[in-house]
Each structure stands twice: as C-alpha cells, then as structure tokens.
C-alpha cells in the first residue's frame, strides 16, 4: 500500500534501508522497518502481513517489487525443516520380512 502510487521509474530510483530482526524458529513472526533515504516518506513498519513465505504464489497482481530478506538453511523455515519420512508401501515391508526370513533360514 505504501508504494502503490509510485511508478516503476520511482521505485528504480528509490534508495531505502531495510532493518529486520534475526531469524527465529517462529516462522510466522516478522518485525522490521523500511526507511527511505529521501525526505518524502515516513518509515514503514514491516510485519508478516507484507511477507511471502517460501513456496507462496502471488496472484492477481499486475506487477510487484520484492526483496529477499532471508535465504538458505538459516532461515526460519530452513531451521524448522525436517528430513522427509521414508515412504514405503506395505508390499516393500512384506518383501523385506520375507527376505530376512529366507536369509535366516539359509544361514542356519
């Protein structure tokens, strides 16, 4: 909303400072300030309302300007990410048990 009246040329020429708190485990909390270096704009508070999380899609927008605040494994989502669980079917389990039984019978 704060940049809605600006043209693409104005945004290209804009110079601003972004201050964001360090990443925490709470993925849905974000606090920060966006300060423009010119005299026209007041500092704008940033919260989770202005954030798009990893994997989100922005729709019904003619154009958008964004800044990547955190990236990599040290981000909020990266820290809370766990390795995927093993996906095994019942047939795989049955075959493993039968193979182990056959192996034990042959070893005896």
């Amino acid at each position: 909303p704060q940049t809605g009246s600006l043209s693409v040329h104005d945004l290209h020429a804009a110079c601003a400072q972004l201050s964001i708190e360090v990443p925490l485990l709470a993925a849905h909390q974000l606090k920060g300030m966006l300060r423009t270096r010119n005299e026209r704009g007041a500092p704008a508070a940033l919260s989770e309302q202005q954030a798009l999380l990893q994997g989100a899609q922005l729709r019904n927008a003619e154009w958008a300007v964004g800044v990547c605040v955190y990236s990599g494994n040290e981000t909020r989502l990266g820290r809370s990410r766990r390795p995927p669980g093993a996906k095994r079917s019942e047939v795989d389990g049955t075959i493993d048990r039968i193979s182990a039984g056959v192996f034990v019978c042959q070893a005896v």
Side-chain angles (χ1 to χ4, degrees):
Q2 288 89 354
T3 59
S5 63
L6 298 177
S7 69
V8 175
H9 178 45
D10 291 338
L11 288 172
H12 183 66
C15 188
Q17 177 184 7
L18 182 64
S19 303
I20 301 286
E21 66 181 12
V22 296
L24 303 171
L25 288 179
H28 299 288
Q29 294 179 355
L30 176 72
K31 293 180 184 174
M33 293 292 288
L34 178 65
R35 294 178 181 87
T36 56
R37 296 187 189 229
N38 60 13
E39 303 296 325
R40 293 180 7 201
L46 299 177
S47 68
E48 56 276 355
Q49 297 295 320
Q50 290 88 16
L52 289 176
L53 297 177
Q54 177 182 358
Q57 295 181 357
L58 183 62
R59 297 182 184 194
N60 299 327
E62 192 172 319
W63 60 275
V65 175
V67 175
C68 178
V69 178
Y70 298 117
S71 64
N73 290 330
E74 293 300 316
T75 63
R76 293 177 173 122
L77 290 176
R79 287 180 171 188
S80 64
R81 197 175 314 149
R82 294 182 185 94
K87 296 182 180 178
R88 297 174 44 108
S89 68
E90 288 184 31
V91 173
D92 287 336
T94 303
I95 290 174
D96 287 347
R97 284 191 296 279
I98 292 171
S99 298
V102 168
F103 178 74
V104 168
C105 289
Q106 286 180 351
V108 173

